[in-house]
Amino acid sequence: MPMLTGGCRCGEVRYEVEGPVLHHALCHCGDCRASSGAPVMAWMAFAQDGFRVTKGTAKAFHGSGGSVRHFCGTCGSGLYFLNAEMLPGVVDIQSATLDDAAEHAPTAQIQTAERLPWMTRLGEMAEFERFPGG
């Protein structure tokens, strides 16, 4: 399994991870929406012992149920998630922060019970390569 690298938008926090992917899913839960401001988040899970921060120090937000979301304190990019109670020994990386994110497509959608209703109709929406009218 090749080493994957990634980091925040401004480059203050960098990480690397190696090992098999445990899952790669789009999460529709309300907690992910609230923390990201986005309707869905992509998470790629690995064994925690294959993960390390190589530059900087991520800030941590301790949420409910033992969840700890890590993000860059400078640019605010969400980076990774730990929950020793729910996912012992697992690190969930926000896969859009990988250097080669386009190479890793999610394979499932999770927490669809909380999905925003209009997310099921994305294929029906108009598409624009850039801003419309520009």
Side-chain angles (χ1 to χ4, degrees):
M1 208 68 211
M3 172 115 23
L4 300 177
T5 58
C8 67
R9 182 178 183 184
C10 72
E12 288 293 316
V13 180
R14 299 282 304 157
Y15 64 82
E16 63 186 24
V17 65
E18 60 184 333
V21 177
L22 305 176
H23 70 255
H24 189 189
L26 297 177
C27 184
H28 292 275
C29 82
D31 191 49
C32 282
R33 285 198 310 272
S35 71
S36 68
V40 67
M41 285 179 69
W43 293 104
M44 194 176 216
F46 297 87
Q48 191 174 346
D49 61 5
F51 174 81
R52 72 183 188 106
V53 174
T54 58
K55 179 183 177 197
T57 303
K59 298 277 187 186
F61 174 77
H62 296 262
S64 62
S67 67
V68 185
R69 293 179 183 272
H70 293 82
F71 60 96
C72 175
T74 302
C75 69
S77 296
L79 295 166
Y80 58 98
F81 173 91
L82 300 169
N83 188 322
E85 296 173 26
M86 187 175 72
L87 299 168
V90 173
V91 60
D92 250 339
I93 294 170
Q94 290 187 14
S95 60
T97 66
L98 289 168
D99 293 335
D100 61 350
E103 302 298 317
H104 306 280
T107 58
Q109 295 184 61
I110 59 174
Q111 303 288 26
T112 58
E114 297 179 45
R115 178 174 41 205
L116 295 171
W118 49 265
M119 284 294 291
T120 62
R121 301 185 313 272
L122 291 180
E124 300 170 15
M125 294 181 188
E127 293 185 18
F128 304 90
E129 284 188 24
R130 302 284 183 234
F131 289 104

